[in-house]
Amino acid sequence: MGLSRRDFIKACAAAAAFAAAGVTTARPEWAEAAEDGITWGKAPCRYCGVGCSVLVGVKGGRIVSTKGDPAGPVNKGLNCIKGYFLSKALYGKDRLTTPLIRKGNRMVEASWDEALDLIAAQYKKAIAEHGPDSVALYGSGQWTIQEGYVASKLMKGGIGTNNLEPNARLCMASAVVAFMNTFGSDEPMGCYDDLDLGDTYVLWGANMAEAHPVLFSRLIDNKLKHPKVKLIDIATRRTRTTKMADEFIAIKPHGDLAALNAIIHVILRDKLYDEAFVAKHVSFKRGKENAPYGLKDKEAFNETPADVKNLTFEEYKALMKPYTPQWAQKVSGIPAAKIEELARVYGDKSRKVNSLWTMGVNQHSRGVWVNNLIYNLHLLTGKICKPGENPLSLTGQPSACGTAREVGTFAHRLPADMVVMNEAHRKKAAGIWGIPAEKIPAKVGLHTVEMFRAIDRGELKCVWIQCTNPFQSLPNLNRVRKAAQSRKAFIVVSDIYPTRSTELADVVLPSASWVEKEGVFGNTERRTQQWFKMVNAPGKAREDVWQLIEFAKRMGHGALFPYPEKGMHRAIFEEYRKFTLGTGKDLAPYGVYAKVRGLRWPVKANGTETRWRYTEADDEHVAKGEGIKFYKAPNNKVSVWFRPYEPPAEVPDRNYPFWFCTGRLLEHWHTGTMTGRVPELRRAVSQATVELHPEDAKRLGIRNRDQVRITSRRGSIVLTAEIGGRGTPERGSVFTTFFDEKKLVNEICIDAFDPLSKEPDFKKCAVKVQKA
Amino acid sequence: MTSRWWLPRRAVQTGTILLLASPAAGFTFFSGNLASAELAGVRLSDPLACLQAVIGSGVLVPSFLFGALLVTAFYFVLGGRSFCAWVCPVGFLTELAEKFSRRTRRGGRRLPLATGRYVLFVVLATVAATGVPLFEVLSPIGIMGRAVAFASLVPLLVPAAILLVEIFAAPRVWCRSLCPLGAFYALIARFSPLKVGFHRERCTGCGDCVAACPVPEVLDPLWQSDACRVRAGACTRCLACLDSCPERALSVGFRFKKEPLSLTDEGRPIEKSAP
Amino acid sequence: MTKERDDSGISRRRFLKEGALAPFALALAAAGGGTVYLRPGEAHGFVLRPPGAIVARRFLAACVRCGKCAQACPYHSIRLQDRGVGIGTPYIAARHTPCYLCPDLPCVKACPSGALDQKTTEVEKVRMGTAQIVDREGCLSIRGLRCEVCYRQCPLIDQAITLEPRHNPRTGEHTIMEPVVHREKCVGCGVCENACVLPKPVIVVRETVEVQRDSYDF
Ligand code: SF4
Ligand code: SF4
Ligand code: SF4
Ligand code: SF4
Ligand code: SF4
Ligand code: SF4
């Protein structure tokens, strides 16, 4: 099956439109048109991974307006309500405008030199006394590609430690590991066009209606246009997505691991798989099992090639035998008949089936496994790499893909799918960076949870946090906050507003945000989007790249960053681009991105984008006649993993009888540092609430808007009850959101994580619920 | 030593205002205001407010009526217009204003007492005809109560206007001649057993009581006839006359019979007063 | 009569002083009263009353303006009018604080006079008014954006307001999710009006729409 003619014409027309939207002369580099004294420039939305394009109206050095960019292929001029109020995110009254240094309990204003000298001195001291692994940098999926790249080069190529992590460890790490161990290359084969072209969409624990607003609107439009389109929502909570879905299938927390195995069982049992596809493209594997949950410090667990056992198809089938729908019914709560039905949905050759998922699957103590199992469904049935028929892992941050994953700001990663453990990869990176290969340490750095535990253990002496708010967003928050409060490490926080993290910092640095600097983001569908600086940051605020390079100079690594002051962002990007060329992740020259509303990599030689990877119909890396070719996987064969069922880290018991789950809502984004400063959004949703099932509430004598105390083994908070509102968790579970800086709900969360991806499970722990 | 009724009276007046303010301060034993309230779980209502509400809306809530009857009975026993002298914040305010204006020797004409009952009639006729509870709309009592309880300050212009008129044009005109609630309580006060008694033998005719009384007309019959108690409903039972009388010729008590007062219960030798 | 009252002894000077001041004082007093009673009330003639309020005309008479309902409201949603014929009567400024529909309706329980009908016990049956989208061209959701804040905040979500999705012809590939208020379910609590993200809310609680029945059943 190939790309249809209609699809191609569509793609070509779009490409032409991008090219036509070129920049005119005599205006600032970023300006598109001037009217009423307002100059408009293009940028991707600052918030979520959907990656809507917006036009930013600037007048008198201030953003006066933003609007959805009609030329933006993702959103065609639309936005969600966060994007509508984008400009206000920068203009909160309490923007940080000057560096601050802690003097006892007070934060004292300082100059950049004082602050950076102090940071450098602290880092040098720590490195001298305890080695380079005693310092760390904690960044973000909201970093621009340039910021992430400079950070990676500085830490891995300069300071010589892999203690570099992005907050994307908390949201995308499981997806990354599964992409790597299944396809040999990170990021999806499909793209948003699949939302227009498919006819069956299975949502695995994703509340797209609220977390991916504009995309959801696109998905529903497909449903409105084509009556045969079916949306199946499998989740532990009824949401706004459920409301618009054709079918809701309630599942017990952690039940996905069982249900998916049972669906595969039925597909194998009833021979619903695509024999030819499997024979050509798939190899079967079994990994390490009886994995821990990361609850103990320094618990090491790795799935090395030596741990992996190759299976034959027959062996695999035999292993899958016990996972019957009847068994899964008990574990997942999904009736056996429903599981059979789902298997037939996936096996139906006449339907184009897509799976969509985000945090329900990724923030999971067996997140990689669940990702693997979803891929198994698609690989066994051959429903992959075809327009309108793909698994699509949705992301939450604007550049979780572009920065955290593509640049590789994880403790084990190097740019473009490379890893520090691999000597050839280190060599390639060192070559581009112009350093000796030995400089890049082969030892994987501290992953996020361990990084903050290492502060508590006193092993990490310095950590610099940029563009994220870990002291609100980490699980088992009490432990890490206490560690920071007792000043066990020297903590630097770069941000644009005071946050729950800046309050614990020794040095607070004011950052420039979004269009106050130049940058590039990469969204869920591999779309790389660039924007120029349009306004100045307030006061002394400086962008994170500048902060890092100034710090590098003081650390004696200035030579690593020989970029001209003018065109710095271009130079950094072009250097980074070298990593991508010829790898199947090829990026276009910077100048191209300046003109278009983003391009989906791999960008072809002729400058056009790739919508579907691994298929001859669209991917240049697959020769004509090869059909589908997973050219990044070993022997061009993708892996179908046998992943057994293993129980969750903590289950409700007599003392803590409820499941506790956290998540996002449409009006606010992440820890609310930006959306919390938008008065309209605060008016819309002013505080975090706890959702209960009406029957549970009745039993506990809790009525709507009563105060409810939630207690876990790790912490306790009081929240306002919301019953029968936007979301209703299944019986026996409660749900809350984590945006409210006054309610540190993550104090409740367990710091269990997936042993492979080290991504914490924010979706499941046991709590007690009482009327307060 | 004369009596000092003003002390408990001021205490009750002040207490009323504190009571009105108590919900805002977070206390829960009282809520509402003088139109309707709940005190320690007992629902109390202003009978005139109740009357207007029932006539105007045709809605009758038994507990509401019961609360109104309770209040009516209470003030009937305790002298009717005793509400004015002891509880009503407007009475309190205008009383203070009069003290102030007397000191600065401003005057003006006192209007007749009888007009109040016509106002009462107009109020009831209006509510019956149009459904507008005229007195609840205009009532400075309600306005003051809400100002205390809710800091609703703009409407205080109404009591302020009354004060202006009283100070510069017609002393105590609101309570004496206009207030329909005062008039209503005056009607029941007439038949109330709690009355001010007059011991003619002690009276020296000094006129101090007349000067002290907010409604001095009610004392007139004591001289013009041989009445031995103040019978007019307009008497507010403020007992200022008792406090003012150097001869203790006035007293207060429950009087059920019509015969002259016993003169022997005072424990002081009786002297014939000078004419 | 024993003592001459002294009001006959007004001096000429004092009389003049009083005579000039009295009309002035009366005028000032009239101005004060006028300020309270003649200021314009609600422009569209609809006042959002607390739950259970009886019909407007009778409510004005039945309410004795005691403020007990306001004191009973845990969210301070109820305020008292300070002008006009409705002075002292309770209302809800939804844009400031809407009614959050306490399950036990403490405001209704507090009302002594029946102005708030004691028979109101189920919040779903409350009819304070009906929300209406007063500016369809302004509503962000109807313009195709993903707003729907009013919908998600409505305590009777999916009953009082539903989203009616339809194709967005302007982009060709998105959905307009239009919030539609259902008069037979909307209680008029004003939560939507409070939450609307536009500077002037485009969803506003208005007078309850009288359902005009006919025999069509669609
Ligand atoms: S937050 Fe996401 S959906 Fe909303 S406008 Fe921004 S990118 Fe688009
Ligand atoms: S006459 Fe009216 S205003 Fe005056 S004290 Fe009596 S009740 Fe109050
Ligand atoms: S129902 Fe509750 S929130 Fe609404 S007005 Fe009554 S007391 Fe206030
Ligand atoms: S409690 Fe009843 S009578 Fe009192 S103000 Fe409220 S509605 Fe009016
Ligand atoms: S007023 Fe608005 S929020 Fe309240 S029920 Fe009606 S539609 Fe819902
Ligand atoms: S909150 Fe306002 S703008 Fe948004 S959908 Fe509702 S009415 Fe429209």
Side-chain angles (χ1 to χ4, degrees), chain A residues 170 253-254 293 359-367 449 475 648-650 659-662 749-754 758-765:
Chain A
L170 307 180
H254 210 78
Y293 298 95
M359 294 311 128
V361 166
N362 290 347
Q363 293 176 338
H364 194 304
S365 53
R366 293 292 179 267
V449 173
E650 186 181 70
W659 285 107
F660 177 76
C661 182
T662 64
C749 294
I750 191 168
D751 52 350
F753 54 77
D754 180 294
K758 330 291 182 203
E759 176 168 344
D761 191 332
F762 292 96
K763 301 285 186 192
K764 290 168 219 80
C765 68

Side-chain angles (χ1 to χ4, degrees), chain A residues 16-193:
Chain A
F18 300 154
V23 189
T24 48
T25 51
R27 299 213 179 86
E29 203 181 356
W30 47 269
E32 289 268 324
E35 52 183 60
D36 346 319
I38 300 179
T39 336
W40 294 93
K42 62 141 189 140
C45 171
R46 173 64 182 77
Y47 294 117
C48 86
V50 170
C52 297
S53 302
V54 294
L55 290 174
V56 184
V58 176
K59 191 177 176 179
R62 224 183 127 81
I63 304 170
V64 290
S65 170
T66 56
K67 61 181 179 193
D69 185 348
V74 173
N75 55 322
K76 300 259 174 77
L78 302 180
N79 280 129
C80 77
I81 197 63
K82 296 186 291 292
Y84 182 80
F85 290 112
L86 247 179
S87 60
K88 298 201 177 187
L90 301 187
Y91 293 130
K93 283 190 209 78
D94 53 346
R95 266 299 285 268
L96 294 170
T97 55
T98 176
L100 302 167
I101 293 176
R102 179 174 296 278
K103 295 260 152 52
N105 278 333
R106 277 188 323 128
M107 297 305 284
V108 181
E109 293 197 356
S111 72
W112 273 108
D113 278 330
E114 284 168 333
L116 288 165
D117 289 345
L118 173 64
I119 300 168
Q122 291 282 353
Y123 268 71
K124 276 183 186 152
K125 181 166 162 261
I127 293 169
E129 288 171 14
H130 308 279
D133 284 340
S134 66
V135 301
L137 177 55
Y138 184 68
S140 170
Q142 300 153 61
W143 257 348
T144 65
I145 283 180
Q146 287 93 336
E147 287 161 350
Y149 181 75
V150 165
S152 176
K153 195 174 177 185
L154 170 63
M155 295 306 284
K156 306 195 167 190
I159 291 175
T161 175
N162 285 319
N163 286 344
L164 168 69
E165 276 280 279
N167 62 359
R169 179 71 76 180
L170 307 180
C171 62
M172 294 315 304
S174 298
V176 175
V177 174
F179 270 118
M180 294 305 289
N181 69 16
T182 305
F183 301 99
S185 173
D186 196 4
E187 299 198 28
M189 54 298 310
C191 61
Y192 294 165
D193 299 43

Side-chain angles (χ1 to χ4, degrees), chain C residues 50-51 72-75 77-78 92 98-102 105-107:
Chain C
C73 178
Y75 305 105
S77 306
I78 302 179
I92 292 174
C99 163
Y100 289 109
L101 290 181
C102 312
L105 292 168
C107 48

Side-chain angles (χ1 to χ4, degrees), chain A residues 73-76 78-81 84-85 209 213-214 217-218 220-221 224-225 240 243-244 666-667 680 683-685 705 724-726, chain C residues 75 95 100 103-104 140 144-147 149 151-153 157-158 163 165-168 170-175 177 194 196-198:
Chain A
V74 173
N75 55 322
K76 300 259 174 77
L78 302 180
N79 280 129
C80 77
I81 197 63
Y84 182 80
F85 290 112
V214 171
S217 141
R218 194 161 158 179
I220 295 299
D221 194 55
L224 292 175
K225 281 185 203 146
R240 293 306 95 207
K243 186 68 199 163
M244 295 217 167
L666 202 157
E667 290 84 348
E680 288 82 358
R683 166 188 276 285
V685 178
R705 299 187 69 89
R726 69 176 70 202
Chain C
Y75 305 105
R95 191 61 175 164
Y100 289 109
D104 53 345
L140 298 178
L145 280 78
R146 288 292 320 279
C147 175
V149 163
Y151 160 75
R152 284 189 304 275
Q153 291 302 111
I157 181 170
D158 290 330
L163 289 186
R166 77 186 125 90
H167 174 65
N168 183 344
R170 199 164 62 83
T171 72
E173 57 187 35
H174 294 92
T175 314
M177 301 196 183
N194 180 263
C196 180
V197 294
L198 291 174

Side-chain angles (χ1 to χ4, degrees), chain A residues 326-560:
Chain A
Q326 289 70 23
W327 165 81
Q329 172 171 347
K330 276 189 244 120
V331 184
S332 70
I334 304 182
K338 200 40 95 193
I339 289 174
E340 303 258 355
E341 200 182 310
L342 279 168
R344 279 189 296 279
V345 166
Y346 273 99
D348 186 343
K349 299 219 162 28
S350 70
R351 292 191 77 94
K352 297 181 174 181
V353 185
N354 295 271
S355 303
L356 298 158
W357 69 96
T358 25
M359 294 311 128
V361 166
N362 290 347
Q363 293 176 338
H364 194 304
S365 53
R366 293 292 179 267
V368 175
W369 291 10
V370 181
N371 271 275
N372 283 150
L373 292 172
I374 294 175
Y375 292 136
N376 290 356
L377 290 177
H378 286 265
L379 293 171
L380 290 171
T381 56
K383 291 179 186 294
I384 194 162
C385 300
K386 295 162 192 164
E389 198 161 23
N390 278 301
L392 180 62
S393 152
L394 299 161
T395 65
Q397 299 194 79
S399 202
C401 287
T403 305
R405 296 165 65 175
E406 290 158 29
V407 173
T409 57
F410 290 94
H412 65 296
R413 285 284 288 267
L414 288 166
D417 287 347
M418 299 195 298
V419 289
V420 294
M421 302 82 88
N422 183 314
E423 198 182 344
H425 292 178
R426 288 200 302 276
K427 277 209 174 109
K428 181 176 174 186
I432 294 175
W433 287 346
I435 54 167
E438 318 81 74
K439 277 232 71 170
I440 304 174
K443 185 177 154 231
V444 176
L446 294 168
H447 62 81
T448 298
V449 173
E450 269 302 313
M451 186 183 278
F452 286 86
R453 285 178 180 173
I455 296 179
D456 189 32
R457 294 195 301 262
E459 292 166 15
L460 201 59
K461 301 298 176 192
C462 295
V463 58
W464 186 345
I465 296 156
Q466 279 196 334
C467 203
T468 185
N469 190 7
F471 292 112
Q472 182 174 341
S473 63
L474 288 169
N476 195 5
L477 200 53
N478 271 329
R479 177 175 179 191
V480 295
R481 285 184 68 86
K482 277 201 193 102
Q485 271 151 1
S486 51
R487 313 247 70 84
K488 288 190 177 169
F490 178 76
I491 297 171
V492 184
V493 178
S494 301
D495 212 315
I496 66 171
Y497 290 111
T499 66
R500 297 311 297 262
S501 298
T502 60
E503 73 186 14
L504 299 178
D506 295 283
V507 177
V508 175
L509 300 175
S511 290
S513 178
W514 196 43
V515 296
E516 291 163 358
K517 63 189 178 193
E518 187 172 331
V520 180
F521 277 165
N523 79 350
T524 298
E525 58 161 356
R526 296 175 273 111
R527 182 181 297 280
T528 313
Q529 305 197 73
Q530 182 273 356
W531 74 94
F532 286 109
K533 176 178 173 177
M534 300 175 203
V535 291
N536 285 324
K540 294 193 213 154
R542 299 298 298 259
E543 61 180 300
D544 292 356
V545 166
W546 180 88
Q547 296 176 15
L548 289 173
I549 294 181
E550 285 302 307
F551 169 70
K553 287 179 190 162
R554 284 165 172 79
M555 296 296 291
H557 302 301
L560 283 175

Side-chain angles (χ1 to χ4, degrees), chain B residues 81 83-84 88 90-91 141 174-175 179 181-182:
Chain B
R81 282 200 83 188
F83 172 79
C84 297
C88 179
V90 174
I141 310 168
W174 172 261
C175 295
C179 177
L181 184 57

